[in-house]
Amino acid sequence: MNSANSPLGKPLDRVDGPLKVTGKACYAAEAEVPGLLYGAVVSSSIARGRVTRINAAAAEALPGVRLVLTHQNRPPVASYDKPYEDDDAAEGSPFRPLYNDRVLYSGQPLALVVAETQALARHAASLVRVEYEVEAHQTDLQAVLDQAHDAPAELPEPRGDFDSAFAAAANRIDREYETPVEHHNPMEPHASIVQYQPGGELLIHDKTQGVQNCQRYLEQVFDMEGKIRVLSPFVGGAFGSGLRPQYQLPLAVMAALKLKAAVRVELTRQQMFTFGYRPRTVQQLKLAADGEGRLQAIEHRAIGQTSHFEDFTEHEVEWSGMLYACDNVRLGYRLAPLDVYTPLDMRAPGATIGVYALECAMDELAYEVGIDPLELRLRNYTETNGNEGKRYSSKELRACYQQGAERFGWSRRPAQPRSLRDGHQLVGMGMATGVWEAMQMPASARACLDADGRLLVTSATADIGTGTYTAMTQIAADAMGLPMSEVEFRLGDSSLPQAPLEGGSATVSSVGSAVQRACAGLRQKLLDAVQQSPASPFTGASLDAVEFVDGQLRLKTGEHAVALRDIVQVSGALDAEASVKPDEKRDAWATATHSAVFVEVRVDEDLGTIKVSRVVSAIAAGRIVNPKTAGNQIVGGVVWGIGQALHEETLIDHRLGRYMNHNLAEYHIPVNADIPEVEVIFVEEHDEVVNELGSKGVGEIGIVGVAAAVANAIYNATGRRVRDLPITLDKLL
């Protein structure tokens, strides 16, 4: 499509918006299924031990209760006797619900009560009595730091001589930072409906970020290859919590197989705290710089918690070896097993907490050297990823710094902490750099033009609220020269063309490239069809000689045009399928998105209360397909980053090994009153290496660096440095 009419790059409304605001979008627990039964999970009340007895008599005696499923009466599960995994698995043995009598963590599912109504199932579950043989547990990371082991992560080798460079430097800092456990709290709780069909096939509605991952997982677990189809057209938020299949899914399958009926299992809000989370970490940063602030040495060591049955790893320290120019770098990453469930990827996993520590340390170094924190970052700017020894395919971080600082008014920032006041409020300004990977995964898509000239594009990807429906519709409409109203994109069905998990900000790059390639194949078929007649004015024309504009195929000379609808009315519906994978030319380059976040805070001098009053986030993420939905992602990331800095923390009573604030009343997240106007700047960035679209993705980058910018602003306001998140008023007073 010509650039004037192309929908690419325009801030268009979400195509699925009307369905969502009118309540017509159907989520996992809302599918209308005849004869549906309801399951309620019984969770363990201890953190470690054995189940000695499950007394379900009172529950089973209730009219309408159909089953109490436990490890003693579950159907045979093929994979419980052999290894299996999913696309987001950690190293180790995946958790197996109802495997045996062992209790591995507090909140572990021990039974499933299935009844004819949801209310009855939950009431009956409350009547199930579990007796235990209790064993001593440990859930406190600080208590087992000396028991940590090396994480199974491919860390970059040390470069240079850190010890000598650190010892010889004019300026040195050595700081420890701590981040807490945080839990996913998407609006839609995890839920699954499993429909048992004649012949033993299963049709499943699941809250997931990857229908084909769930399908493969269940096929392995239950030895049912070719008998499972998974649907998930709408997801009410996930951001990592839907990458791995959660335990309600195999529980629902077990019950459906045993009863040969349709079963729904939906987790309560409290049970949303009984699986993956962002892990608690303790991080040590050592930075050294010369008198001008140029980095001489960096050491970043982190210890994160994991479960006893899996080693959860994420990219936590690598950012310190790639974000700035430094010849002497040493990185370390260890894990400490606890009697807890395995952590899980959570928006910008690893970077959210690793970059927090790095960017706070950079701020502390700036004060140590006596230069502006932004100037410190500019003096250490690099066009090369030091971990890989490769230049970036594109990097407009300087422009992020410049445009963000100008819009924010960084030049007015007081260098001396505690020197700017507004009445009884101390005002401070802070900033931080953000970075995230620019990934692409193998993906496929199919494009079909029907006899009415309408385009249907399909891929088994997901839309977790990020705007996938809209972005893919824009890409397809642009590729075929059709108005958005003539294009439909379908996703969330495991029977559709292959797609990766929706995560890592890679969906537009991966699936979008496949959509573009499928449409290219369809354009060729349309040209071939219109050339069938010997008298066709298009005879002998190549794709380079024609264009697809305003629903027409026409010669670029403008002499002849034919409506796409007219072509398919003669030829019949046409379709094309394409698969893409990362181009080999990427191998020679480092690829990443970057950001610069600027924050102003106001701290009540007497009460210690903190208010974020201004935020500017400048993003360099290649081609932005839809600035409106992309801007939504950045604003959402900023909100989450403010929550990370000031609010979010899952508190555990280590005597019980149990999370105590497992609800939305006491698990604090930001509300409207906590969030100021957030200004998002998309810096122009062209990249012909990352993928055919030139897009890098924006889902993760919005949160990276925000917590550090808030923490740095609080120091500028108060002169008090808090190094363990969240920063609450009791820590400031």
Side-chain angles (χ1 to χ4, degrees), residues 161-185:
D161 184 344
F162 169 82
D163 291 322
S164 298
F166 187 80
N171 299 281
R172 299 187 296 271
I173 66 163
D174 181 350
R175 303 288 188 266
E176 185 174 281
Y177 303 89
E178 187 169 346
T179 63
V181 167
E182 297 173 25
H183 271 84
H184 296 86
N185 275 287

Side-chain angles (χ1 to χ4, degrees), residues 519-693:
C519 288
L522 184 56
R523 290 198 304 269
Q524 182 65 62
K525 289 192 175 183
L526 284 162
L527 180 57
D528 292 343
V530 83
Q531 290 175 337
Q532 293 301 308
S533 169
S536 170
F538 295 92
T539 300
S542 67
L543 273 179
D544 292 336
V546 302
E547 57 187 357
F548 291 76
V549 183
D550 298 331
Q552 295 181 324
L553 164 58
R554 68 189 187 195
L555 291 170
K556 288 182 177 178
T557 59
E559 298 172 15
H560 298 284
V562 58
L564 302 187
R565 180 183 290 105
D566 293 342
I567 300 173
V568 290
Q569 284 179 347
V570 174
S571 68
L574 296 172
D575 66 85
E577 185 168 335
S579 298
V580 297
K581 60 182 180 180
D583 195 293
E584 290 181 359
K585 67 182 178 183
R586 283 178 56 115
D587 296 343
W589 300 88
T591 57
T593 58
H594 293 90
S595 68
V597 188
F598 298 84
V599 170
E600 179 189 87
V601 300
R602 293 170 180 266
V603 182
D604 188 293
E605 188 172 16
D606 299 317
L607 302 178
T609 53
I610 306 162
K611 171 72 176 177
V612 175
S613 48
R614 287 194 300 132
V615 179
V616 174
S617 181
I619 309 291
R623 185 181 200 173
I624 305 300
V625 172
N626 185 325
K628 186 172 186 176
T629 55
N632 293 160
Q633 289 299 293
I634 302 304
V635 171
V638 169
V639 171
W640 203 337
I642 292 172
Q644 179 193 7
L646 304 178
H647 301 274
E648 286 198 57
E649 179 180 16
T650 315
L651 297 166
I652 194 166
D653 185 330
H654 295 301
R655 297 169 302 170
L656 302 173
R658 185 185 311 158
Y659 295 118
M660 305 306 293
N661 57 334
H662 56 312
N663 54 66
L664 291 186
E666 297 168 300
Y667 183 86
H668 293 170
I669 58 175
V671 296
N672 284 344
D674 298 310
I675 304 300
E677 189 72 23
V678 177
E679 185 170 0
V680 177
I681 302 168
F682 285 117
V683 170
E684 190 169 340
E685 183 176 64
H686 299 284
D687 196 315
E688 297 180 356
V689 173
V690 287
N691 51 67
E692 295 175 14
L693 279 167

Side-chain angles (χ1 to χ4, degrees), residues 112-341:
L112 180 73
V113 178
V114 182
E116 293 172 2
T117 69
Q118 182 72 69
L120 177 59
R122 289 190 177 178
H123 172 61
S126 72
L127 302 179
V128 176
R129 297 291 177 258
V130 183
E131 297 175 14
Y132 305 95
E133 180 183 296
V134 180
E135 299 174 9
H137 66 266
Q138 181 56 264
T139 55
D140 186 358
L141 176 64
Q142 285 285 0
V144 296
L145 293 177
D146 60 344
Q147 300 171 32
H149 59 265
D150 289 341
E154 295 181 7
L155 287 183
E157 290 294 321
R159 60 180 186 263
D161 184 344
F162 169 82
D163 291 322
S164 298
F166 187 80
N171 299 281
R172 299 187 296 271
I173 66 163
D174 181 350
R175 303 288 188 266
E176 185 174 281
Y177 303 89
E178 187 169 346
T179 63
V181 167
E182 297 173 25
H183 271 84
H184 296 86
N185 275 287
M187 289 179 67
E188 180 196 12
H190 280 268
S192 304
I193 292 178
V194 179
Q195 293 178 249
Y196 186 90
Q197 299 180 316
E201 290 87 5
L202 302 180
L203 177 63
I204 296 174
H205 308 264
D206 188 54
K207 188 251 178 69
T208 178
Q209 291 173 245
V211 286
Q212 290 174 329
N213 183 40
C214 282
Q215 180 190 45
R216 286 189 293 271
Y217 163 82
L218 292 174
E219 286 179 342
Q220 292 178 83
V221 169
F222 293 96
D223 194 17
M224 294 183 66
E225 187 171 354
K227 294 184 176 182
I228 294 174
R229 181 182 177 193
V230 182
L231 305 177
S232 185
F234 294 99
V235 179
F239 301 99
S241 68
L243 290 173
R244 298 189 74 173
Q246 301 305 344
Y247 65 74
Q248 91 287 337
L249 177 60
L251 289 180
V253 171
M254 288 182 200
L257 291 174
K258 191 168 183 71
L259 294 170
K260 293 183 169 52
V263 177
R264 184 182 93 174
V265 180
E266 181 180 11
L267 299 185
T268 65
R269 181 56 61 182
Q270 288 73 27
Q271 288 168 342
M272 292 292 290
F273 289 78
T274 60
F275 55 89
Y277 52 88
R278 200 189 299 282
R280 183 182 179 188
T281 67
V282 176
Q283 302 177 70
Q284 184 183 43
L285 259 296
K286 291 182 179 180
L287 301 181
D290 63 18
E292 301 299 314
R294 291 179 178 83
L295 285 166
Q296 303 299 299
I298 299 173
E299 182 179 64
H300 189 171
R301 295 188 178 277
I303 298 178
Q305 74 176 54
T306 190
S307 68
H308 276 294
F309 48 91
E310 287 180 304
D311 277 347
F312 174 79
T313 60
E314 52 189 1
H315 295 295
E316 203 162 293
V317 298
E318 290 93 322
W319 318 102
S320 293
M322 62 185 277
L323 198 46
Y324 301 109
C326 185
D327 293 331
N328 303 287
V329 177
R330 188 165 64 194
L331 307 174
Y333 181 28
R334 294 169 69 77
L335 298 175
L338 295 168
D339 295 307
V340 295
Y341 194 81

